[in-house]
Amino acid sequence: MSLLGCVMAVQAAAQTAPAPIAPLPSKHQVAWQQMETYAFIHFGPNTFGNREWGYGDAPLESFTPPRLDCEQWAKTLHDAGMKGIIITAKHHDGFCLWPTKYTDYSVRNTPYKNGKGDIVGELSAACKKYGLKFGVYLSPWDRHQAFYGTPLYVEYFYAQLEELLTQYGDIFEIWFDGANGGDGYYGGAREERTIDRRTYYNFPRAWKMVERLQPQAIIFSDGGPGCRWVGNEKGYAHATNWSFLRGNEVYPGYSRYWELQQGHADGDTWTPAECDVSIRPGWFYHESEDSKVKTVDYLTDLYYRSVGHNATFLLNMPVDKEGRIHPIDSARVVDFHKRICAEFKTDLLAKAKIKASNVRGKQWGTANLTDGNYETYWSISDGTDKAQLTITLPRNTRLNRLMLQEYIPLGQRVQRFSVSYLKGKEWAQLSVGEETTTVGYKRLLRFATIETRQIRISFDAMRGPICLSTVAAYLAPETKGAEAKKEEVKGVDFTATAEGDNVVTFDLGGEQEIGSLRYLPQQGDDRKGLVANYEIYAGMEKDAMQRVAEGEFSNIRNNPVMQEVFFTPTHCRYVQLHATRMVNAGEKIAYQQVIIR
């Protein structure tokens, strides 16, 4: 071969597209992540019974929404910039919001529309009208059915799943909760039942059914396979967030759930994170929480820590007893959308000049970073383990936000990067308040407003040649901060004494009239001592107390917020909290705060 031929061959090889680096997403997973924000709807008998996890015994006649309007839900969420809605077609209480033919415990036997209603169908139609994608939540656990825990229930579960997958059009996501097995009504048995979470439901059968009937649908569970739970119900992922999990390791109820907040860096399956959180403390509507709806600042902060941390943001909007999204929630979520639009209104890098330390070839040049086309990207030569972008603005510019996006169809690659800016005549490190490690589909950085003409982004470690689709900068309006205002609740003074592992006695020091106990579990990823079921006793003498309340702290493992128990006001000196069941058997009661008033 001639010298010219060799040169041409080398150039051709140098301009070959970067090879994909596994694990890789499906095209449906990419489209799902591009949705970014979508909504959850929790609604059912719990709404009318003021509960979070229904026991499975709520009477059908209690389900009486007088003004239910699925179009109001869809319009509200469309105006809030949401791209889809997932409805709790069946929660743990077993009640079905569609007229399933497999149980009488459904909307078909309630006063709603004289038994002619189909809320799943009504919402599906409303989503079509407003251009929203539609998804369903089907709880594997069922606290109502007498045959839960038997092989018959598994067949029942799959029969209902097939109904949902075949009767309501295209479904973008199907949600399987990780809460499985425990105490329940179970047709009147009122007992605790445990199942093997790894094997009982035969979930691979579900994956095959979804693939056959709704091949574009993303399957959510603790470990996917379509997307994963983020390991908390607070709405955020870690700044380091890999879209990978080690295959077949994570199962519903996975004990090391905190790993899911950042994924497995050595994972071999593409299982990106979904950040779920409710706009209120609870998932179902409670009138007592009307003053506790998350603020716009709080929601905006969560957007940065979910979508901005390579995840999606699933915001729960509980429907009230009227059958509508409450006006407070509606206004708050629409204002949240307006805030996000304001913060990302103008890309300040649209006319910037970008110089790269390495370019793979003309087709993968830096012009791709600001062309507004996700399908084009800047890339570098094979074998290059570091790279740098120097961005020059037309003039000194004020900015406080930076956005980076990888082209994820070829894999997630960035392992570590840093940002600096020209401050006077010197380069200064940009302080963003969190580690700058992974990028993924989208990484958003917030920082105090700077004024500069040059920005430098250094990619210091990567899994292969970087494929960066977008770099953008913004000047977001100054805000008051991201923390929600906490309600100040004061109670009576007491001294607390642990009496064994499962009882705590509170001495109020003298006779008091009380009517409530608030219990805040220990916070943090390693929290222990969570009370699942409780009894509360009160009396003037320690050996002559009477029970004033009993119940369940529903979902406390995943949503360890302040638990409120109200009871008939009583005069007493002593109060006892009994744990009749712990989340983790054998642990001792622990708490961060108890308020008695």
Side-chain angles (χ1 to χ4, degrees):
M1 182 181 292
S2 68
L3 178 60
L4 178 60
C6 290
V7 171
M8 292 178 65
V10 170
Q11 288 177 337
Q15 293 185 2
T16 301
I21 298 179
L24 300 173
S26 69
K27 65 178 182 179
H28 299 307
Q29 286 175 310
V30 175
W32 166 85
Q33 188 135 23
Q34 290 173 328
M35 291 174 67
E36 298 193 358
T37 60
Y38 41 97
F40 228 162
I41 294 285
H42 276 65
F43 183 58
N46 291 347
T47 308
F48 301 91
N50 199 33
R51 306 188 77 168
E52 277 291 289
W53 280 6
Y55 192 64
D57 60 351
L60 290 167
E61 58 268 23
S62 69
F63 186 76
T64 55
R67 299 172 57 232
L68 191 150
D69 184 356
C70 289
E71 288 200 9
Q72 187 258 356
W73 310 356
K75 183 180 186 305
T76 296
L77 296 169
H78 171 270
D79 292 347
M82 299 290 169
K83 301 301 189 297
I85 302 176
I86 300 172
I87 186 171
T88 52
K90 186 191 82 168
H91 203 252
H92 310 322
D93 61 355
F95 179 82
C96 300
L97 290 176
W98 80 101
T100 174
K101 61 185 178 183
Y102 296 105
T103 180
D104 291 335
Y105 200 58
S106 79
V107 67
R108 175 165 48 86
N109 292 305
T110 70
Y112 175 64
K113 290 189 175 181
N114 296 315
K116 303 298 182 183
D118 180 353
I119 296 171
V120 174
E122 292 162 31
L123 181 58
S124 174
C127 285
K128 288 184 177 70
K129 179 175 178 177
Y130 285 92
L132 300 173
K133 294 186 178 182
F134 178 67
V136 294
Y137 167 123
L138 181 66
S139 171
W141 188 18
D142 192 317
R143 304 174 92 182
H144 175 80
Q145 288 300 340
F147 47 83
Y148 179 79
T150 72
L152 176 61
Y153 176 78
V154 177
E155 298 308 311
Y156 169 81
F157 173 74
Y158 281 103
Q160 289 197 321
L161 177 60
E162 185 164 359
E163 283 185 322
L164 292 172
L165 295 177
T166 57
Q167 296 179 8
Y168 299 105
D170 290 342
I171 291 175
F172 85 92
E173 181 170 332
I174 178 121
W175 230 82
F176 297 121
D177 201 298
N180 287 292
D183 62 336
Y185 176 70
Y186 303 127
R190 296 186 180 276
E191 61 189 17
E192 184 171 343
R193 297 182 183 178
T194 58
I195 48 93
D196 186 332
R197 297 177 179 183
R198 287 179 179 266
T199 62
Y200 175 61
Y201 301 104
N202 187 19
F203 276 123
R205 178 179 170 185
W207 312 160
K208 291 178 181 177
M209 181 181 286
V210 174
E211 176 63 27
R212 175 170 57 87
L213 299 175
Q214 295 279 351
Q216 77 290 339
I218 298 300
I219 300 171
F220 168 96
S221 74
D222 284 12
C227 67
R228 74 177 191 266
W229 181 45
V230 77
N232 66 66
E233 292 185 349
K234 298 179 180 179
Y236 66 84
H238 280 189
T240 300
N241 182 20
W242 292 100
S243 294
F244 315 151
L245 288 181
R246 293 186 287 271
N248 300 318
E249 182 172 314
V250 180
Y251 54 90
Y254 185 59
S255 59
R256 299 194 302 276
Y257 54 88
W258 55 85
E259 296 175 359
L260 306 181
Q261 295 177 130
Q262 59 186 32
H264 295 151
D266 60 348
D268 55 8
T269 63
W270 187 276
T271 318
E274 176 183 85
C275 299
D276 59 317
V277 68
S278 183
I279 198 168
R280 292 165 173 253
W283 289 89
F284 285 87
Y285 175 81
H286 308 286
E287 187 176 358
S288 64
E289 295 178 353
D290 284 352
S291 63
K292 301 177 183 178
V293 178
K294 289 180 172 59
T295 64
V296 171
D297 284 342
Y298 199 114
L299 294 170
T300 302
D301 177 57
L302 291 181
Y303 176 84
Y304 280 95
R305 297 200 287 157
S306 56
V307 174
H309 282 175
N310 186 36
T312 60
F313 186 38
L314 176 59
L315 179 63
N316 181 61
M317 303 292 293
V319 171
D320 66 18
K321 293 180 180 180
E322 292 287 301
R324 304 168 74 88
I325 294 176
H326 194 278
I328 297 174
D329 307 50
S330 175
R332 200 65 53 84
V333 73
V334 171
D335 286 346
F336 156 62
H337 176 55
K338 291 177 180 177
R339 168 73 65 78
I340 295 300
C341 290
E343 297 208 0
F344 297 95
K345 182 178 180 181
T346 304
D347 178 12
L348 302 174
L349 303 188
K351 297 182 179 180
K353 294 181 179 179
I354 304 179
K355 182 179 179 180
S357 60
N358 183 284
V359 176
R360 189 176 188 90
K362 185 177 180 180
Q363 185 177 344
W364 300 281
T366 58
N368 295 339
L369 293 168
T370 55
D371 65 358
N373 182 0
Y374 183 71
E375 297 300 320
T376 63
Y377 53 90
W378 160 63
S379 190
I380 59 178
S381 304
D382 292 342
T384 306
D385 58 3
K386 295 181 185 296
Q388 191 173 85
L389 294 173
T390 301
I391 304 166
T392 303
L393 293 146
R395 63 191 66 82
N396 275 349
T397 303
R398 297 173 70 242
L399 57 136
N400 52 25
R401 300 289 188 270
L402 192 67
M403 179 175 76
L404 303 174
Q405 289 189 277
E406 286 188 83
Y407 184 65
I408 59 173
L410 293 179
Q412 187 178 353
R413 302 170 182 238
V414 177
Q415 296 172 308
R416 188 174 69 253
F417 70 99
S418 60
V419 183
S420 54
Y421 67 101
L422 198 60
K423 185 177 182 182
K425 295 183 179 180
E426 303 292 331
W427 286 99
Q429 190 78 16
L430 188 66
S431 176
V432 298
E434 59 186 28
E435 68 266 26
T436 48
T437 47
T438 56
V439 174
Y441 167 71
K442 182 172 284 189
R443 184 66 189 273
L444 298 173
L445 303 179
R446 293 175 286 179
F447 44 92
T449 301
I450 61 170
E451 185 169 341
T452 189
R453 194 178 176 187
Q454 281 195 317
I455 303 166
R456 181 180 291 164
I457 306 174
S458 300
F459 297 93
D460 305 314
M462 59 193 79
R463 298 173 66 239
I466 192 170
C467 297
L468 199 69
S469 173
T470 306
V471 60
Y474 305 88
L475 178 64
E478 298 293 337
T479 59
K480 295 180 291 184
E483 290 300 319
K485 182 179 180 181
K486 295 181 179 179
E487 180 187 24
E488 293 296 330
V489 178
K490 294 182 179 180
V492 299
D493 294 331
F494 58 73
T495 57
T497 304
E499 303 194 19
D501 291 343
N502 298 321
V503 178
V504 179
T505 300
F506 304 97
D507 182 353
L508 311 184
E511 183 176 348
Q512 301 275 0
E513 183 182 41
I514 62 167
S516 68
L517 183 146
R518 290 168 169 84
Y519 162 70
L520 179 66
Q522 284 187 336
Q523 303 296 291
D525 290 342
D526 59 347
R527 53 187 175 270
K528 296 181 179 179
L530 298 176
V531 178
N533 293 73
Y534 64 85
E535 294 179 342
I536 297 174
Y537 291 79
M540 290 301 299
E541 303 293 337
K542 288 179 66 176
D543 56 357
M545 290 192 283
Q546 301 207 355
R547 188 171 62 194
V548 295
E550 63 177 326
E552 174 185 57
F553 292 136
S554 302
N555 201 24
I556 196 170
R557 178 200 296 271
N558 301 325
N559 194 30
V561 299
M562 181 76 79
Q563 310 291 316
E564 299 176 332
V565 181
F566 296 92
F567 43 84
T568 302
T570 183
H571 288 266
C572 64
R573 172 173 175 171
Y574 297 98
V575 179
Q576 280 188 343
L577 173 62
H578 290 232
T580 56
R581 185 169 66 92
M582 302 295 290
V583 169
N584 296 315
E587 290 186 355
K588 179 179 180 180
I589 289 180
Y591 57 87
Q592 184 156 317
Q593 186 180 22
V594 167
I595 300 172
I596 300 171
R597 58 181 307 201

